[in-house]
Amino acid sequence: MIVEPSTDRLLQRSQRGDARAWEQIVHRYKGLVFTAAKRVGLNDDDANDVFQATFLALHRHLDRIEQAETLPKWLAVTASREALRVKRIRTKHQGVDLGEDRSLDDLVAFEEASAEASAIRLEQGLHLREAIAELPGRCQDLLTLLYLEEDVSYAEISEKLGMPLGAIGPTRARCLEKLRSRLEKGGFFE
Amino acid sequence: MKRDCHLFAADLVELAHGEDRQEAASHAADCASCGILLHHYREVLGVAQEKWHYPSAGVVANAISIFPAAPRRVAALAGHTFGFAGARRSAAEAFQLRFEDEGVAVRVAYEPTAGGWTLMGRTDAQAVYHLGEAVPVNEGRFQFDVATLEDSEFEIDGPKGTIVIPAATQVIDDEPGRNP
């Protein structure tokens, strides 16, 4: 079994200048950051820019992040904020009316609230993926195919996992309960 | 929890997936614990159904390159067994090397196999990496296979950063009088 280093350890190593730890941080949170950009409705080019800007910001602020558990939220908020800023600029350039009665302060406050809300949902998505990855093999494979991959039919799941079609439903129920229980212990529903 | 809750366990999951399960639905409406369970399932499925997007490998590589690559810190050879001088021969024998750096010691046994070499090590480092992948470390012991000794370089997590344990062939080449 491959034991993944904790985020705490990766953060400490990155703060000491360990390039491999930085690489692992980028890989661990690439989905979170890129999804934050795409959810705002940016195209791939703009989302790529937001991705780069977010990790640049992290690199600059690395020494100021003291608690590893705050890192996913920090990344999600930073990426969402940057994505909303880019979207605002793009919308303005396309001549879309942003609402004359809204002051810049209103707009910034709105974006800040949106970024916070988006970050909460992204963090939940991250925790869900981490919890599925920690499930025993068969449950991990089944829930990944069912929930995290797109348009996989029951017939394909049956073939990939060597599981009779009739066993998918009951196994799904057992695995979902294991996932729910794990998430509950981690404070997912609070 | 009511006595018949277990009868609805599977149906609650089906209900959360949008299937029609009227008995389970009315039970969940009356039973607080099953109602919470159903709510939890729906919340999990709601989050799971939100699509995630991933950047291309090139974009990831750009983000990785933000971090300046530190000079590689290579552990020094601190000891070896006799067989190590013959490691380049076709009929190679098992041998052991000991490395030290930053107060971290690594002892590695190199054993020839039909497909290459098996490296079995002991270290007080917390993590070991080979070709970028984490190698499981169990009570200080680790093991992995390589096709040739040229591939036997690996890394450990030292107190001040990554320490490179050089490939056995590199050590053999660097040791005066040790290259057969």
Side-chain angles (χ1 to χ4, degrees), chain A residues 13 18 20 35 121 147 177, chain B residues 17 41 50 129 155 162:
Chain A
R13 283 171 51 204
D18 187 333
R20 182 175 295 284
T35 302
R121 205 68 182 169
Y147 303 140
E177 173 49 29
Chain B
H17 280 88
Y41 289 144
E50 289 171 352
Y129 305 94
E155 294 170 349
T162 302

Side-chain angles (χ1 to χ4, degrees), chain B residues 5 16 32 38 46 48 53 57 60 63 91 99 109 111 121-122 125 127 144 146 163 179:
Chain B
C5 287
L38 179 62
H53 304 264
V60 173
F99 299 91
E111 294 204 351
R122 291 199 69 171
F144 61 93
V146 294
I163 301 170
N179 198 347

Side-chain angles (χ1 to χ4, degrees), chain B residues 52-107:
Chain B
W52 269 40
H53 304 264
Y54 292 90
S56 67
V59 172
V60 173
N62 284 342
I64 289 169
S65 70
I66 292 167
F67 205 89
R72 280 161 48 105
R73 189 178 180 99
V74 182
L77 183 67
H80 58 77
T81 55
F82 182 73
F84 133 84
R88 280 202 184 277
R89 294 192 200 110
S90 54
E93 297 168 9
F95 61 94
Q96 291 184 26
L97 301 179
R98 191 162 58 83
F99 299 91
E100 280 180 13
D101 197 281
E102 294 180 347
V104 179
V106 185
R107 186 185 293 273

Side-chain angles (χ1 to χ4, degrees), chain B residues 1-85:
Chain B
M1 183 181 281
K2 291 181 180 178
R3 277 196 313 174
D4 53 354
C5 287
H6 67 280
L7 299 174
F8 296 102
D11 279 348
L12 286 179
V13 173
E14 297 299 321
L15 193 58
H17 280 88
E19 299 294 329
D20 183 18
R21 296 288 188 277
Q22 289 185 3
E23 276 188 64
S26 53
H27 172 78
D30 292 339
C31 170
S33 58
C34 287
I36 289 170
L37 212 53
L38 179 62
H39 175 71
H40 282 182
Y41 289 144
R42 284 182 170 149
E43 196 167 344
V44 170
L45 293 175
V47 174
Q49 279 158 8
E50 289 171 352
K51 188 184 171 190
W52 269 40
H53 304 264
Y54 292 90
S56 67
V59 172
V60 173
N62 284 342
I64 289 169
S65 70
I66 292 167
F67 205 89
R72 280 161 48 105
R73 189 178 180 99
V74 182
L77 183 67
H80 58 77
T81 55
F82 182 73
F84 133 84

Side-chain angles (χ1 to χ4, degrees), chain A residues 42-75:
Chain A
L42 298 182
N43 62 32
D44 278 355
D45 284 344
D46 285 341
N48 290 343
D49 289 344
V50 168
F51 187 81
Q52 187 77 358
T54 303
F55 281 105
L56 262 173
L58 175 63
H59 185 243
R60 284 195 206 103
H61 289 81
L62 206 51
D63 289 336
R64 284 182 236 168
I65 297 176
E66 292 175 358
Q67 292 175 313
E69 60 267 26
T70 64
L71 181 59
K73 181 157 189 205
W74 189 93
L75 283 168

Side-chain angles (χ1 to χ4, degrees), chain B residues 117-140:
Chain B
W117 292 80
T118 293
L119 274 67
M120 289 176 287
R122 291 199 69 171
T123 180
D124 39 6
Q126 291 198 6
V128 174
Y129 305 94
H130 180 242
L131 300 175
E133 296 291 331
V135 175
V137 181
N138 189 6
E139 294 181 348

Side-chain angles (χ1 to χ4, degrees), chain A residues 86-169:
Chain A
V86 170
K87 192 185 179 192
R88 173 166 29 100
I89 293 165
R90 291 280 177 267
T91 310
K92 206 171 177 183
H93 284 174
Q94 285 161 9
V96 177
D97 183 14
L98 291 171
E100 290 303 315
D101 54 337
R102 292 178 79 176
S103 69
L104 185 61
D105 284 349
D106 288 343
L107 209 56
V108 169
F110 169 75
E111 286 184 0
E112 190 60 29
S114 300
E116 287 282 337
S118 174
I120 290 167
R121 205 68 182 169
L122 285 161
E123 255 198 299
Q124 279 189 308
L126 181 74
H127 292 322
L128 178 88
R129 279 158 180 78
E130 288 174 345
I132 289 177
E134 287 168 6
L135 289 173
R138 202 158 178 79
C139 279
Q140 186 186 130
D141 293 342
L142 179 63
L143 296 192
T144 299
L145 288 169
L146 279 170
Y147 303 140
L148 304 184
E149 292 190 10
E150 279 184 81
D151 302 328
V152 188
S153 68
Y154 269 35
E156 286 170 307
I157 291 172
S158 170
E159 194 183 323
K160 278 186 182 177
L161 302 184
M163 186 184 285
L165 272 173
I168 293 177

